[in-house]
Each structure stands twice: as structure tokens, then as C-alpha cells.
Amino acid sequence: MISIQKLVGGYANSSVIKGIDIEVEKGEFFALLGPNGSGKTTLFKLITGQLPITSGRILLSDKTISSYSKLEKAKKVAVLTQEIQVSFDYTVEEIVSLGRYPHQKGFLKKLSKADWNVIEEVMDITKIGAFRKKQFRTISGGEKQRVLLAKALAQEPELLLLDEPTNHLDIKHTFQILDLLKERQQTMGLTIFAILHDLNVASLYADRFGLLNDGRLLDTGDVDVLRNEEQLREVYEVQVNTQSHPTIPKPQLLMTPKYAISKDNTSFHNLYKINQTAEQMHIQFDQPLRTISNSTYVDGIQWIKDFYILKNENERNLIDLIHSNKQSAVTTVDHPQNTIIVKKEIENIQMVIFTAFEVQDVTSNERLEGNKSIGKIITKLFIDSHFTDGAIVQGLMFALSGRDRAMQNVDSKVKNVASSLTEPLVFGVTQRGMKVATGELENKLGKAIEEAIYSTTNEMIKRCL
């Protein structure tokens, strides 16, 4: 649809764009990304003819774009820029109707019934019909952006060029507009070339991406361009991490500000307080921990600050806690006050383990036969280190493995032995200090975590019996 070949150009004394090649296929949504000053808007102006091309060429449907007359180009290409400027005091309806000019016939260029049908449709889908008779200058910046998009769609273009189309829009209208454009792309084959500022929004809507920096195209491709954390850090000069969107196969980017990179040297065991009574044990950290659990009440990996072990009969309190404090992880046993607390150091990494259990009664006949019973076992493991999400998942698995090994050693006369893989185990990390990836866990650290849980669970079993 549009082919940019070895393009060089910019302003009189400066070639901002330095030899760029981009191919955008018909029916494709292509997003151009890059920091401020990278040349995105300059490239846009070269495509639209607002700036002169020094060398190279731009083809539109296999013809140089400069060979089209203004009217021919207007039938194929619509443009929406960042600047919201209208020279005359038109109404909203009049602005949108200007989009039909390339399609009007005759000397007087009057709007036909077909033109009005298109105008009504685009005003409806951009949700601007309610203020159609208002003067354009009197409406908000976001409303103006939607009006100008309606004008562009009224042209019924094959190619839509967008320079920051959501610049003046709130979240609701950003998604409404991009959903609309995506629907036009998918159902009508509209080709979209958009400069987008928000990388996460771009990831959700675009099919392919170009990453521009200092007038040069560093990378083009599918969403894997947004999974290249190292390249994004270099270009944007911000700490960037990617993660998968929970419902669609697209990455989302997390930016970490400099102030949030931990320089806290506080001793790990001074980061939390323990409040222990007959009714509950409350472990409260100064800052939330990155936490995973196989518990019903911790869904996925979350940030959690308060950890509770409640008495079983206080189930009402458990429900109230979950609803009132989203940064809490709650488990229940018969006697919270009997929780075992063990502090350990592994590979110069501090940790603390909380193990609680409940004992179930056996029948009088079983007691005469020397049988004993262990009920629920719960474990909370907290580590002072920085784990990747993959390492957090793997750390939980090593801990579960250690507890399962301990339970397999229980004497055969012990009845009702809890299945350690189904009883709650909470695993939390401070996300400060040494960074641990899955590779480190596969070596010494993972086995050390497994052994730590194995030994504390064995100690708990001895006390229980």
C-alpha cells in the first residue's frame, strides 16, 4: 500500500530522517514508535508532503506519492495530525462534511444523499452527533480530535495517516476510537499508519511496529519488537520490563522510575512486625512483597503487605479481611499461636519461614492402635531478594517440593496426613538486593529453599505428633 524507500529529508539545514525503509501492506495497522525528537513527526510530514524529500522516494499503490493530484490523493489518503486548527468558524457538522469534498461531483460540489449517509455514519460511530450544530471552537480538545477523525473517515480513504490520534483523549475515548479504527481495518481493509506515543496501547492495536531513534529505523516487526527490553531501555532511557497481557497474546510494558529502585539497607528482619494472639498471627511488612501462592485467596502474582494466619472459627473475619484489604493473604488453622518461626540465611540471602498446622482427633479405636493424626499444614516463606516472575513461580515449586518430601516421611500410623501440594503455601520476595532469575534457582538456591522448607516441615511434624 505504502512503500518508503531510502528516505532522507527534513528541514532546510538538517536531514532529520536518514535513510529509512518501511513497507506497509494493504489492510495493515502499522505503528511508528520512538521517543520525542526521534523524527516521527518529521517522517509524517515527509509522507504528507509538508516537508521536502532530499532523496529516496515514497510509493502509494506502486506510484510515487508526488505524482498524484491533490484530489486523487484525497480519495486514497486521509490525514489526522496533532494540530487542532480550523481557520473558519465552522460547525461540527460542517467540518465533517468537508471530508466528502474529494467525492463530490459537478461544478457546485453539492452534497448528495450518499454523501449525507456517510456523514451520518461517521458522526454516529465517533459519537459526535450530540453536538453537531455547535461551533468547532467551543468544544473540548478531545471532542475536536473526534470531529477531525470523523472528517478523515468521511473521505473513505484506503490509507489513514494518524499522528498521535489519541493525544487529547481520555482512556474511555482512546479505546473507543482505536476499537473503531481496528474494526474498520478488519472489516473494510483500511490501512492505518499511526504514530503512537503509548507503547502499551500500540501493542494492543497494531499488527507491526517500527522503532525510530535519531532519524533511523532501529527495528521493524511484530509485537516481538516490544519484547526487546534491552533495546527499549536504550532508546527510551527508562527501566523497562515486559509482561504478557492476561487475556490477549500481546506484551505490556512496565516502566520503573529511578526513585523506586531500592537502595534500602534496612536489615530484612526489621522490615516486618509480628502480632501474635490466640485468635490470629499477623505478619505485617513495611512495604508490599511480590507474592505467589497456591491458596484460594491469592490469585496469581500480587503485591501483598499483610499476611494473616487466622483461627478456623473466624471465617467471617477472613472474608471481611479479603474484602477490606486487597493487599492481604489469609489462611486459617485451629491454633495460630502454635506457628513455628524459623529464620535462615541461604547464599547470603535472608529468609523467614512461618509454619502452622492443626491436629485432628482420631477415634478411640485408632488411638488404642497407636494411630495419630495431622490435619492442615500451611507455610509462609519470605525472602529478601529480587526475583523475576519466572523465579517466583519456580521458587514456589521448590518450596512445595520440600514440604511434599517431608510429608512422605511421615509414619504410616499417622492418619489424615495433609496433602502438602494442596494446603496453602505463600511465597513472597522483597524485590530488593540481588536479582535472581530461573537459572540461579536451578543451581544452589532452589535446592536450598527446598531443604529449608523440608527441615522446618519436619520440625513441625515432630511437634505435632
Side-chain angles (χ1 to χ4, degrees), residues 283-433:
I283 309 150
Q284 183 179 46
F285 280 82
D286 291 344
Q287 297 293 327
L289 271 59
R290 194 78 168 139
T291 305
I292 189 172
S293 176
N294 63 337
S295 165
T296 305
Y297 302 108
V298 181
D299 184 15
I301 299 177
Q302 298 185 21
W303 287 97
I304 295 178
K305 182 178 181 180
D306 295 283
F307 301 85
Y308 292 90
I309 302 172
L310 295 183
K311 196 168 185 177
N312 269 330
E313 60 196 45
N314 293 340
E315 187 173 354
R316 180 70 256 171
N317 289 356
L318 182 152
I319 295 170
D320 290 343
L321 270 172
I322 292 169
H323 285 295
S324 65
N325 184 359
K326 298 300 183 184
Q327 286 190 330
S328 65
V330 185
T331 45
T332 61
V333 292
D334 278 340
H335 303 289
Q337 72 273 25
N338 292 337
T339 300
I340 299 169
I341 304 172
V342 176
K343 298 176 182 179
K344 286 186 176 288
E345 181 176 318
I346 297 174
E347 301 286 309
N348 297 317
I349 295 175
Q350 300 290 324
M351 67 176 63
V352 60
I353 304 167
F354 295 81
T355 306
F357 60 91
E358 61 186 40
V359 178
Q360 296 179 352
D361 288 334
V362 295
T363 66
S364 56
N365 287 337
E366 288 176 328
R367 197 174 294 113
L368 288 172
E369 295 172 3
N371 288 326
K372 300 175 183 179
S373 177
I374 301 175
K376 184 191 294 183
I377 304 165
I378 66 170
T379 307
K380 298 183 188 292
L381 167 61
F382 305 115
I383 297 180
D384 187 25
S385 191
H386 184 152
F387 278 45
T388 64
D389 280 359
I392 290 173
V393 173
Q394 198 172 18
L396 175 71
M397 299 309 295
F398 274 114
L400 286 168
S401 177
R403 197 169 64 176
D404 193 45
R405 278 177 51 212
M407 297 309 300
Q408 290 173 2
N409 292 337
V410 175
D411 189 278
S412 61
K413 286 185 174 292
V414 177
K415 303 297 182 182
N416 302 317
V417 176
S419 171
S420 63
L421 291 175
T422 57
E423 294 303 324
L425 194 152
V426 176
F427 181 90
V429 288
T430 60
Q431 296 301 71
R432 65 175 201 167

Side-chain angles (χ1 to χ4, degrees), residues 135-321:
Q135 300 297 314
F136 183 77
R137 61 178 173 80
T138 66
I139 62 178
S140 70
E143 289 169 340
K144 287 177 179 175
Q145 193 79 346
R146 286 154 55 202
V147 170
L148 294 178
L149 176 61
K151 172 181 170 290
L153 292 176
Q155 287 179 232
E156 297 185 300
E158 296 177 33
L159 171 65
L160 185 58
L161 299 175
L162 306 167
D163 186 2
E164 300 286 2
T166 61
N167 197 33
H168 299 276
L169 302 180
D170 59 23
I171 295 173
K172 172 186 173 182
H173 289 106
T174 291
F175 277 80
Q176 281 183 349
I177 291 301
L178 289 172
D179 280 338
L180 160 64
L181 292 175
K182 195 69 180 176
E183 189 272 337
R184 292 292 247 217
Q185 176 208 358
Q186 293 175 337
T187 62
M188 302 179 68
L190 178 64
T191 306
I192 300 170
F193 187 117
I195 295 173
L196 293 175
H197 179 70
D198 189 317
L199 300 182
N200 285 323
V201 168
S203 173
L204 295 175
Y205 287 93
D207 305 311
R208 283 200 313 122
F209 307 84
L211 182 60
L212 194 67
N213 193 38
D214 192 27
R216 291 183 170 85
L217 198 64
L218 298 184
D219 198 4
T220 57
D222 61 15
V223 288
D224 283 342
V225 171
L226 294 177
R227 292 190 174 101
N228 190 337
E229 294 179 356
E230 184 177 349
Q231 181 169 257
L232 293 174
R233 287 178 198 137
E234 290 177 1
V235 169
Y236 287 96
E237 298 181 15
V238 173
Q239 179 67 32
V240 178
N241 297 97
T242 65
Q243 66 173 10
S244 296
H245 190 283
T247 55
I248 61 175
K250 299 271 193 167
Q252 293 287 275
L253 306 179
L254 303 175
M255 287 65 161
T256 304
K258 287 184 179 179
Y259 82 85
I261 298 174
S262 177
K263 297 178 182 177
D264 185 6
N265 294 320
T266 307
S267 169
F268 171 59
H269 298 296
N270 290 330
L271 295 178
Y272 59 88
K273 295 180 292 188
I274 300 171
N275 178 22
Q276 192 169 14
T277 68
E279 299 298 315
Q280 70 171 27
M281 172 174 281
H282 178 196
I283 309 150
Q284 183 179 46
F285 280 82
D286 291 344
Q287 297 293 327
L289 271 59
R290 194 78 168 139
T291 305
I292 189 172
S293 176
N294 63 337
S295 165
T296 305
Y297 302 108
V298 181
D299 184 15
I301 299 177
Q302 298 185 21
W303 287 97
I304 295 178
K305 182 178 181 180
D306 295 283
F307 301 85
Y308 292 90
I309 302 172
L310 295 183
K311 196 168 185 177
N312 269 330
E313 60 196 45
N314 293 340
E315 187 173 354
R316 180 70 256 171
N317 289 356
L318 182 152
I319 295 170
D320 290 343
L321 270 172

